[in-house]
Amino acid sequence: MIIRGIGLDSSAEIAFQSHAHTDHFVSGKVIVSTKATKFLSHLKKGGFYKTYDFGKAFYIGDYKAKLYPAGHMLGSAQIYIKLDEFSLLYTGDVKWFKLRTAEKAKFRRADVLVIESTYGLPMYNFPTPREAEKKLIAFVEQSLDKGKTPMLYANQMGKAQELLKILDLHGYSVRVSREILKVAKVYEKFGIKFRNISKEGEVLISGFKNQISFNGVHSSGLFVSGFGDLKLSNHADFWELIRIIETVKPEKIYTRYGYAREFARILRGLEYDAKPLEDVLFSGELI
Ligand SMILES: [Zn+2]
């Protein structure tokens, strides 16, 4: 979306990029992000980034703004912009519960909230990250007991590093794909250390598509995603989204990504003024 000429996870002359997942990549003369997002994005693309720390006031175009942690992955940010008539909080991808490798999300009150809705249906009720962690370790232990190599499939940026950190804390050595290793090196620059990466690792982590070839390895696999076998998600589930809204207390809500239409309908049933963002983008209501 573009508001007052400022792109929010959309390309514009001045564009805010909430985090380093490729579906949020933007182009612009200036791209505003956190430092971690810049470093992670530079693994794949160029661009001139202007970086800001969380909680520090700055100007984006003519408007005062601040970044707040979104809790989705290392460096993921929400942006708060004080426009003339109202304040706006744009979440990007967001997580209420704290993950081990992402900054703890912080939410502030705003008049208008633009919130992601990837899992915006009540059926999406995920275990907390700590509960999911126990399930993960149980899977690893059961696989090892059966003489099989635990093989975890996950998004190579963010989720894979979260798994790596959990396995590190529980004392497992891990073999990872080259891409996961590259991203992990950037995480280490920002203080998230991994002491357990090894070519002979007893657990394997791989991307969904670029699976490590594991000749002769007798493995048992687990897909780690809100849509997969183990719902260790770096997105808010429906109930986390509701908690976020109750904290931000917005007068208007616009939903973006995933179940935007359905989530907005549910919110209207809860007496919020809510619409899917795509319905208003060309109406001038937000621009
Ligand atoms: Zn994302």
Side-chain angles (χ1 to χ4, degrees), residues 118-138:
T118 308
Y119 294 105
L121 292 179
M123 62 180 267
Y124 293 111
N125 183 10
F126 299 147
T128 63
R130 291 298 170 273
E131 286 162 9
E133 189 166 320
K134 286 182 194 154
K135 291 182 183 175
L136 172 69
I137 299 306

Side-chain angles (χ1 to χ4, degrees), residues 15-76:
F16 165 66
Q17 185 189 329
S18 63
H19 64 291
H21 283 147
T22 52
D23 53 334
H24 292 259
F25 277 2
V26 295
S27 54
K29 267 194 191 152
V30 177
I31 302 170
V32 169
S33 77
T34 61
K35 205 180 221 176
T37 293
K38 168 185 157 169
F39 276 62
L40 289 164
S41 299
H42 275 173
L43 293 173
K44 293 232 162 112
K45 75 188 264 279
F48 178 74
Y49 282 82
K50 211 161 174 185
T51 63
Y52 295 98
D53 292 336
F54 291 124
K56 197 150 191 202
F58 63 96
Y59 275 88
I60 188 159
D62 293 331
Y63 304 99
K64 216 171 186 181
K66 261 186 199 179
L67 303 184
Y68 290 90
H72 171 67
M73 64 175 287
L74 179 73
S76 66

